[in-house]
Structure formats: C-alpha cells, structure tokens
Amino acid sequence: KWCFGCGFYVPPNESLDFLRRKTMENNNNNDNLAIDCSVLTAEIPDQPLNWLRKYGITDVEIRHYGIAWNPQTESLAFPVRRGGQVVLVNERYFGKDPLHSKYRLYGHKALNRTFFNNPNTPNSLVLVEDFISAVKVARFASCIPLFGSTISADAVKWAVGSFTKLRIWLDRDKASESLKEASKLSQWIPDTRTVVSELDPKEYSNTELINILKKAKVLV
C-alpha cells in the first residue's frame, strides 16, 4: 500500500506487522509522554551492560552520563537534562518482543540541546544520530546526539551563536538526510560538512575516531 499524499507505505507480505510496528513507533515518540525517572536504577543487567561494553563504554562514562536501567520497559535509559531537570529520555529496548521498536523517546524533543562539551574543539561541533555515538565522539570533540536525523530549530539557533564549524555524522543509511541538514545549516555556518563512514560512529575504536575526525578537519 502506498499513499501519494503522505508517503505512508506498507510493504507486501508483512503489512499487518509493519502497521503494528509503525503505530508503536508513533506512539512511543510522542513528545507529550511523561517521564518517570523514579523507576530508573543504576543496576544494569548483563545483556544491556554487555551491549554497552561492545561499544567500549566505560563505567566512568555510564555514571557521568547517567545511563540507567528501566525495569518497567526493559530498556537502557539515556537521560537528557536541561537546567538540572530531565527533559528527555531516550531508551533502547532489550525485551523479547520482536515487534517492539528498538528505540523510544520520552519527553519534549524540541527541548533537546544535549551538548557534550570537549575543550579540545571550542569552535567545532559534531552532530551524530544516537546517544552512544555522541558519548564516543565526545571523547575527542564537542558533540550533540540528535536522536534522529534532523536538528531542531532551537538547537540550530544555539549552534549558530556558539560554533564556526559543524560536522554532521549520521549513520550510513541516513546519507541523504545528512546532506539535507548540511545544506540547511550551511546558510548560517558556512563551514558545515557531512562525514560519511562505512560504520556508525559508535562502532569505531578511539584511534579510528581520531583519524576520521582529523580527516573531517575537526581535529588537527
């Protein structure tokens, strides 16, 4: 099924599963969903902890960024704070339902200005897709996770007044979105470019990240 008006698409052979999955994703990304941080715990089970370890995330980084476990939703929680308050929680699902959306967003995405500061790059900012990629890139350069492939108007306004160099490094399957965002942002920050790599940023080692950031002229 294909709607020429809104672009809604249901592929053959799995139309009911696809519709259920899309409905869940739309519900789970509702900006008005309440955030209940009281259920979060620092005790992360083995499976999600091993997932973090796979990407080289350290215990220090887990504590520093407030990564926690939500037993109610069986998900890792990545909280976003603004003015000392949690305004957004991104979650990565580890339950057994194969049709459950992998990532969910609670709170107000318009308030997302998640800034991981690195003094090594005071004039440069890297925009990535997800929280874990941002944690790894932030080891070497200031970084923002977009929780998607677009940057909010609020974040654009803030970035324009703070940086002279932007690099948009999304996952490879979002190359077209990356180019669109770069074209939009270059109107305000001329030195805006995309970074294209075979793997997601979180997949790379420290040495590989440094080399990629140097090639992108984020690091010297």
Side-chain angles (χ1 to χ4, degrees):
K1 296 180 180 180
W2 171 261
C3 174
F4 289 94
C6 68
F8 179 76
Y9 169 65
V10 179
N13 301 324
E14 62 165 6
S15 57
L16 291 179
D17 287 345
F18 181 85
L19 183 59
R20 178 187 172 196
R21 193 157 57 244
K22 291 301 292 183
T23 301
M24 289 180 67
E25 288 173 0
N26 290 338
N27 289 339
N28 288 329
N29 286 297
N30 187 336
D31 277 351
N32 296 318
L33 288 176
I35 305 171
D36 183 7
C37 295
S38 65
V39 302
L40 301 183
T41 174
E43 298 296 323
I44 301 175
D46 288 342
Q47 184 188 4
L49 186 60
N50 289 335
W51 182 81
L52 290 170
R53 296 282 187 255
K54 179 177 71 171
Y55 296 114
I57 303 302
T58 67
D59 290 337
V60 172
E61 287 171 328
I62 290 173
R63 290 192 297 270
H64 178 75
Y65 292 104
I67 299 173
W69 176 249
N70 187 336
Q72 290 188 353
T73 60
E74 299 180 286
S75 303
L76 271 178
F78 311 113
V80 173
R81 292 177 173 82
R82 190 167 180 178
Q85 293 186 332
V86 174
V87 296
L88 191 76
V89 175
N90 183 225
E91 289 192 342
R92 205 281 190 184
Y93 178 66
F94 284 89
K96 296 180 180 180
D97 183 355
L99 297 179
H100 198 289
S101 53
K102 185 180 293 185
Y103 286 95
R104 293 173 299 178
L105 206 59
Y106 296 99
H108 303 278
K109 190 173 181 180
L111 295 178
N112 177 33
R113 197 189 290 170
T114 316
F115 176 50
F116 298 162
N117 180 49
N118 190 305
N120 291 328
T121 59
N123 301 313
S124 301
L125 180 66
V126 182
L127 311 178
V128 298
E129 200 167 323
D130 63 90
F131 195 93
I132 297 301
S133 289
V135 169
K136 293 193 67 171
V137 171
R139 295 170 180 174
F140 313 104
S142 296
C143 189
I144 283 181
L146 299 177
F147 303 114
S149 56
T150 59
I151 183 171
S152 69
D154 182 56
V156 169
K157 188 186 301 183
W158 169 74
V160 168
S162 305
F163 301 95
T164 59
K165 183 186 298 184
L166 291 183
R167 296 295 180 263
I168 304 174
W169 188 4
L170 305 182
D171 298 351
R172 190 170 180 82
D173 63 343
K174 296 294 195 306
S176 60
E177 288 88 343
S178 179
L179 290 171
K180 290 177 183 177
E181 290 302 296
S183 176
K184 178 175 69 178
L185 292 169
S186 64
Q187 299 176 55
W188 296 282
I189 303 178
D191 192 358
T192 298
R193 306 179 194 174
T194 60
V195 178
V196 179
S197 59
E198 288 294 327
L199 303 176
D200 299 349
K202 61 178 174 287
E203 303 273 359
Y204 289 105
S205 67
N206 286 344
T207 300
E208 291 168 329
L209 286 169
I210 291 172
N211 289 335
I212 292 171
L213 292 171
K214 282 183 176 179
K215 187 177 293 186
K217 301 190 182 303
V218 175
L219 300 177
V220 295

